[in-house]
Amino acid sequence: MFNLVPRILRRGLSRDDLSSANCDEEASSWKFWQKIHLRRGDQKQKELERLRSDLENGNIPIADVSEIETETGKAQRSHSLRPPPKPPRMFLFRSSSISTPRNSAVINPGSDRNSFIMSQAYQNSRSRDNTNIPTAHVAPVRKEVPPETTDNNNDILEKKEKIIQNTDEVKPIIARPVRGEQPNRIKIVTPDLTPRRNFSRQRRSSEIVPQEERHKLIIQSSLELLCQKFDPFTIMNDLKEKNVVSEEDVQAFQEHPDRRLVCESILHNLLEGPYSKFFIFCDILRHNNDYNCLALIMDVMKDTYDVVYNIPAIASEEIPVMEEEKAVTFEIGYFNAETGVMKPVVELEKTRDSSKRFSRDSLFFKRASRLSYMSVSSDGGRSSDDSVLINHGTPVINICISGHSLHEDRAKALSKVVSKYNCILELRIGKTQLSGRDVGHLSQAIQASACLAVLDLRLNSIGNEGARLLAVSLAKNSHIRQLNISSTGIDHEGCKNLSDALKMNNTITEIDMSFLEIGDSGCICLGNMLKQNKSISKLRLRSSGISWIGCGILFEGVQQSRSLTVLDLSRNFIGDNGMEMMCRHLNEKCSLVELNLENCGITSSGCAMLSDVVLSNKTLTNLDLSVNFIADAGVTKLSAALERNKSIKTLGLNMCGITNDGFSKMLDVLECNPTMTLLKLCYNRLGKEHSNPTATSDDLKYRVRIVTSSNPKLKILLWGNSFDD
C-alpha cells in the first residue's frame, strides 16, 4: 500500500485518480480473503468436476459420484453471516394427568410418546376434544426409567410421522401411588393449585343456603382448626372403611411427611362430595375422644344454620331489614381459662415458632392458607405430633347472627343450641327482632351455660320485660363477662332490675347501656350498684338522658369503686353544674383511667374546675372533651394544669371552636409536657382567626415541626382545619 502512490505517479497518473486506485486495491484485497475462505468449497467443486471427467472416461463407478455429490451439497457455501442453527434440544415431558408443574412426572426424553406429545397433531387433538383428565389429589412422582435404546434427536424427528399415525394406541399416563416408594417424593395437589373451586368461595350473606350445601360453609369456617388439630393418619382406617377416602388415596397418604396437605386434600374431597359423606366424617370424629371437640364445633354451626334457615320466621312480627344486613358468621379459636382470652386460629398461625429450621423443599406454604408453616423435617420424615398439632387451649366458637329474625320458635331453638353445647364462647344476636319473651327463653340457656362469656343483645326491643328476665339469669350466672344491651328500649325500671342483679354478680367486667332512657333515676341504681360491685371495669352510658343531678349521684359510686377504669358519659347534657359535681369526687383515690365527656355541654367555666382535677389526679390517662363549648378560654384554663400533669397521654378537643390562639397555648403545653402522645384538634377554627401576633399560621406550622421532631411519639390530628399541614 505504501509503494502504490509513487508507482502511480511514475505511470503518469494524476492524484485525482488516486481514490479510484485505492478502491480497486481494496476490492482485490477483499476478493483475495474471500477466495481463501472459500477455498475448501472450490477444491471440492474441482474434485467433483475431475471425477465427472474420469466418469466419462470410465475410470470410476457411478455410485461413488453420487456420494461425492451428496457430500458436496452438505458443504455448500453460505453467503449469510448468521451462525448455523443449534441442534434440537431434548424435550422434557410433564404428565398430562397432573394439572400442575409440581406433580410432573419425568419420562424418557427419547421415547415415542414424548415425541408424539410434542407434535402439533397431538396439540390440535387436545384442543378439539376440550377435555380435562381428572386430577388426583395425591400423585406420587414417578421414578425416572432408563431408556432401553439410546436415540439421538434426529432419530426422534424421523420417527415422528410414524407415531402420529398411531394416535389411537396412545393412552394417557396417570401416575398411581406405589408402595415402597420414598415418602418424600410424593407431591400433593392443594386446592389452590388446581382448577377446582377455591375454599373461600364468596356467597352473599343474605342468600338462603340449601341444606345439601351447608357442609361446604362449615368446612370453610373450620378449615384452619381442622388443619391444626386433626391428624388424619390416626383414623385413616376408619375413613377407608366408611368410604370417605378411596384405596388409592390411602396409599398416597401413607407415611406422607406433610400432615397439613393430607388434611387439606381430605377436606377438599368432602367439600366436593355430598352431604352424606360429610355427615359420616363428623360421626367418625364424634366417636373419637381426641377429636370429639372438633365434631362439636361443626355440630354447633350445623344446628345454627338449621335454626336460621329451616324454621320459618313469623311474617307478622318481621321488621323490614336490608338484605345486606343479614349475616350468619362464626369465629373459631382457643380459649385460655386462666387469662379468659380467646385467640383466633388464624392469629395463632401467625405467631407460631419461627425459630424452627425448615428445608427449602418444605417451604411451599404460599397457597390458600398462607399462614401456616409446613410440618416437614429436614430429613423428609414425619415430625412428632407435639411439633405438628397445636394445643393452645380448648376450641371454642363465636356465633354472630344479624338481620335474621329470631322471634318465637327460632329463639326457642337457639336456646336449645346454647344449652346443648358448652363450646359457645360468644353469642352476638343484635338486630334480630327479639322481644322480652324471647329473652326469657334465652335466659334459661344463659343460666345453664358454663362457657358463654359474651352476650350481645343490642338493637332488640326487649323492653323492661326482657331486662327483668335477663336479670334473673345474671344473678345466677358466673361466666358472662361482657354484656351489651344498648338500644334495647330499657328505661329506669329495667335498669333497677339489672342493677340489683349486678350487685351479686362478680364476673361481669364490661357492660354497655348506651342509648337507654334510664335518666337520673337509673343513675341512682347504678351508683348504688358500683358501691357494692367489685368486677365492673367498663361502663358505657352514652346518650342515656342523664343530667347534672344524676351525674353527681353516679360519681358517688364511681368514687368508691376500685374496679371501674373506663366511663363513657358522652351525649349527656350535664353542663358545668355536672362538671362541678363530678370534680368533687374525682380525687386522688379515684381509679378512673379513661373518661369520655364528648358533647356534654361543658364550657370554659367547667374547664376551670376540671383543671384542678387534672392537676391532682395521677391515674387519668385518656380525657375526651370534644364537641363542647370550650374555645380558647377553656384551653387557656386547662393549659396551666396540663403543663404539670404527668399522666394524661390522650386529649380530645375536636370541634371545640379553638383558634390559633388556643393552639398556641397547646403547643406551649406540648413543649413542657413530653408525656402526651396524642392530641386531637380536628374540625376547629385553626388557620382562620388569631389575636396574638405570634400565632400566625406560618409560625404555628414551624412550631408543630419543632415539637413533633423533639417528641417522635407525639401525634397531632388537625383534620378539617384551614391548617394545611
Side-chain angles (χ1 to χ4, degrees):
M1 285 294 294
F2 296 101
N3 297 329
L4 180 62
V5 177
R7 192 184 308 166
I8 294 175
L9 294 177
R10 286 195 301 268
R11 291 178 182 178
L13 297 177
S14 63
R15 292 184 179 272
D16 295 338
D17 300 333
L18 181 61
S19 59
S20 61
N22 290 335
C23 293
D24 296 339
E25 183 69 17
E26 293 178 358
S28 61
S29 175
W30 179 82
K31 292 179 180 180
F32 171 76
W33 292 108
Q34 185 187 36
K35 185 177 181 180
I36 293 177
H37 181 66
L38 302 176
R39 181 176 296 176
R40 181 179 179 183
D42 294 340
Q43 290 177 357
K44 289 185 177 293
Q45 191 70 22
K46 291 179 181 180
E47 184 179 359
L48 180 60
E49 293 176 359
R50 182 177 58 80
L51 292 175
R52 285 179 178 175
S53 62
D54 293 341
L55 178 62
E56 294 175 357
N57 299 331
N59 296 332
I60 60 174
I62 300 177
D64 296 340
V65 178
S66 62
E67 293 179 359
I68 296 173
E69 289 179 352
T70 303
E71 184 68 21
T72 306
K74 291 182 180 180
Q76 289 181 355
R77 295 177 297 190
S78 176
H79 298 283
S80 176
L81 299 179
R82 296 179 180 178
K86 296 181 179 180
R89 295 182 178 180
M90 303 287 286
F91 297 114
L92 294 179
F93 169 69
R94 295 187 183 275
S95 173
S96 60
S97 63
I98 305 301
S99 60
T100 61
R102 289 174 53 183
N103 293 318
S104 59
V106 181
I107 300 179
N108 177 19
S111 63
D112 295 343
R113 169 161 175 80
N114 183 24
S115 57
F116 169 70
I117 291 298
M118 300 307 298
S119 64
Q120 185 65 30
Y122 175 73
Q123 300 294 337
N124 295 337
S125 64
R126 284 178 61 88
S127 61
R128 289 194 304 268
D129 296 340
N130 195 18
T131 57
N132 295 328
I133 299 175
T135 303
H137 290 295
V138 182
V141 176
R142 301 180 59 207
K143 294 183 178 180
E144 184 177 358
V145 181
E148 297 179 358
T149 58
T150 304
D151 299 331
N152 53 26
N153 295 329
N154 296 329
D155 294 337
I156 295 175
L157 298 176
E158 291 174 2
K159 294 179 180 179
K160 182 187 300 183
E161 298 179 357
K162 180 180 179 181
I163 298 174
I164 293 174
Q165 295 175 359
N166 300 329
T167 56
D168 298 335
E169 300 178 0
V170 180
K171 297 181 180 180
I173 298 177
I174 300 179
R176 297 185 181 276
V178 181
R179 292 183 179 272
E181 291 191 355
Q182 298 179 0
N184 57 350
R185 297 288 303 274
I186 297 176
K187 302 292 185 180
I188 294 183
V189 183
T190 52
D192 63 296
L193 297 178
T194 62
R196 294 172 175 165
R197 183 171 52 200
N198 194 3
F199 274 116
S200 58
R201 185 177 66 88
Q202 296 295 331
R203 178 188 291 272
R204 291 181 56 185
S205 301
S206 60
E207 183 179 353
I208 297 178
V209 185
Q211 187 171 3
E212 59 272 9
E213 293 187 3
R214 292 172 194 169
H215 70 284
K216 300 179 181 180
L217 299 179
I218 296 174
I219 293 175
Q220 293 173 8
S221 301
S222 58
L223 173 64
E224 283 296 335
L225 176 66
L226 292 172
C227 290
Q228 292 177 9
K229 300 284 290 185
F230 174 52
D231 188 1
F233 299 101
T234 58
I235 59 172
M236 189 64 68
N237 294 331
D238 296 337
L239 296 176
K240 177 184 174 182
E241 293 177 0
K242 300 294 185 179
N243 295 327
V244 178
V245 295
S246 62
E247 179 67 26
E248 296 180 355
D249 292 338
V250 173
Q251 294 179 2
F253 294 151
Q254 189 175 10
E255 296 182 359
H256 189 271
D258 194 344
R259 177 197 57 82
R260 182 184 178 93
L261 284 181
V262 174
C263 184
E264 286 185 352
S265 183
I266 294 175
L267 294 177
H268 199 277
N269 273 332
L270 297 175
L271 185 70
E272 297 294 336
Y275 175 78
S276 59
K277 184 180 291 187
F278 171 74
F279 181 80
I280 295 173
F281 174 74
C282 294
D283 189 64
I284 295 174
L285 296 180
R286 194 176 297 109
H287 290 84
N288 190 294
N289 295 329
D290 296 333
Y291 306 129
N292 184 31
C293 58
L294 305 181
L296 291 178
I297 295 294
M298 291 187 285
D299 289 342
V300 169
M301 290 187 280
K302 172 185 172 298
D303 293 347
T304 304
Y305 280 127
D306 292 342
V307 169
V308 176
Y309 296 118
N310 289 357
I311 301 176
I314 300 177
S316 59
E317 299 291 339
E318 191 75 29
I319 299 177
V321 179
M322 297 181 63
E323 293 296 326
E324 292 78 6
E325 297 180 2
K326 295 182 179 180
V328 180
T329 58
F330 304 94
E331 184 180 10
I332 304 173
Y334 300 98
F335 180 70
N336 190 341
E338 297 179 357
T339 60
V341 178
M342 187 201 76
K343 293 185 178 180
V345 291
V346 177
E347 180 180 341
L348 283 175
E349 288 293 344
K350 296 179 181 179
T351 58
R352 292 191 57 184
D353 188 11
S354 60
S355 61
K356 185 176 179 180
R357 298 177 62 89
F358 298 96
S359 62
R360 179 175 295 181
D361 295 337
S362 66
L363 293 179
F364 43 90
F365 55 86
K366 297 179 179 179
R367 54 183 186 272
S369 53
R370 299 174 182 267
L371 303 176
S372 65
Y373 293 104
M374 309 310 299
S375 57
V376 183
S377 58
S378 59
D379 57 353
R382 283 184 59 190
S383 304
S384 61
D385 293 341
D386 294 338
S387 61
V388 175
L389 300 179
I390 295 179
N391 187 11
H392 289 283
T394 305
V396 293
I397 185 172
N398 301 337
I399 301 176
C400 181
I401 304 175
S402 62
H404 295 279
S405 175
L406 296 179
H407 187 56
E408 292 294 339
D409 293 339
R410 290 186 177 183
K412 296 178 182 179
L414 182 61
S415 64
K416 294 180 181 179
V417 173
V418 175
S419 59
K420 180 179 179 181
Y421 300 101
N422 286 328
C423 58
I424 302 176
L425 183 67
E426 298 182 6
L427 181 61
R428 302 182 182 274
I429 47 177
K431 202 172 184 180
T432 52
Q433 291 85 47
L434 291 176
S435 63
R437 185 181 302 176
D438 299 331
V439 174
H441 299 309
L442 291 172
S443 63
Q444 298 177 1
I446 294 171
Q447 182 177 346
S449 176
C451 181
L452 190 63
V454 178
L455 180 61
D456 190 348
L457 299 173
R458 74 180 78 181
L459 298 173
N460 288 295
S461 301
I462 63 176
N464 294 330
E465 181 183 2
R468 179 179 57 82
L469 297 174
L470 181 61
V472 175
S473 61
L474 292 178
K476 300 179 181 180
N477 183 278
S478 58
H479 298 280
I480 293 182
R481 298 189 177 185
Q482 298 180 20
L483 177 63
N484 191 336
I485 52 175
S486 59
S487 301
T488 53
I490 300 175
D491 57 13
H492 65 279
E493 183 179 353
C495 182
K496 181 180 183 302
N497 294 326
L498 291 172
S499 300
D500 294 339
L502 292 174
K503 290 179 182 179
M504 299 176 289
N505 189 301
N506 292 323
T507 58
I508 293 182
T509 58
E510 300 181 18
I511 181 169
D512 191 343
M513 303 178 67
S514 302
F515 303 100
L516 302 178
E517 292 297 329
I518 62 175
D520 297 336
S521 302
C523 289
I524 298 174
C525 302
L526 292 176
N528 296 330
M529 181 268 297
L530 291 175
K531 294 177 182 179
Q532 300 181 23
N533 185 278
K534 299 180 181 180
S535 62
I536 294 180
S537 61
K538 295 182 180 180
L539 178 60
R540 303 190 183 278
L541 299 172
R542 185 181 180 90
S543 185
S544 296
I546 302 174
S547 66
W548 65 274
I549 300 175
C551 181
I553 300 173
L554 178 64
F555 267 85
E556 291 180 359
V558 173
Q559 181 182 6
Q560 298 183 21
S561 176
R562 292 294 175 265
S563 61
L564 189 64
T565 57
V566 178
L567 179 61
D568 187 357
L569 290 176
S570 58
R571 290 193 176 187
N572 291 289
F573 196 82
I574 61 176
D576 294 336
N577 295 329
M579 179 63 70
E580 182 180 0
M581 301 292 292
M582 184 188 307
C583 293
R584 292 180 182 179
H585 304 285
L586 286 177
N587 49 25
E588 299 178 356
K589 298 181 180 181
C590 183
S591 61
L592 276 182
V593 176
E594 180 178 345
L595 180 61
N596 190 344
L597 299 175
E598 176 187 347
N599 196 4
C600 289
I602 302 172
T603 64
S604 58
S605 301
C607 291
M609 294 176 283
L610 183 61
S611 62
D612 297 335
V613 175
V614 172
L615 187 61
S616 60
N617 190 285
K618 297 181 180 180
T619 61
L620 197 63
T621 59
N622 297 342
L623 179 61
D624 196 344
L625 298 174
S626 301
V627 199
N628 285 294
F629 310 106
I630 293 177
D632 296 336
V635 173
T636 304
K637 295 177 181 179
L638 285 174
S639 60
L642 290 173
E643 289 180 358
R644 292 183 286 178
N645 182 277
K646 302 300 180 183
S647 63
I648 294 180
K649 297 182 179 180
T650 302
L651 180 61
L653 295 174
N654 299 327
M655 299 181 68
C656 290
I658 301 173
T659 64
N660 286 8
D661 297 334
F663 188 31
S664 178
K665 291 290 184 180
M666 290 306 304
L667 290 176
D668 295 338
V669 172
L670 296 176
E671 291 174 356
C672 301
N673 187 356
T675 307
M676 192 174 299
T677 58
L678 179 60
L679 177 61
K680 302 177 184 179
L681 289 170
C682 303
Y683 300 99
N684 281 287
R685 302 182 60 83
L686 305 184
K688 296 182 179 180
E689 303 175 5
H690 66 89
S691 58
N692 189 353
T694 60
T696 60
S697 297
D698 295 336
D699 294 338
L700 294 181
K701 292 178 184 179
Y702 176 75
R703 293 183 63 186
V704 168
R705 297 190 186 98
I706 297 298
V707 171
T708 53
S709 61
S710 60
N711 187 3
K713 296 182 180 180
L714 176 63
K715 293 182 180 180
I716 303 177
L717 304 183
L718 300 173
W719 306 327
N721 292 289
S722 298
F723 235 33
D724 295 336
D725 295 340

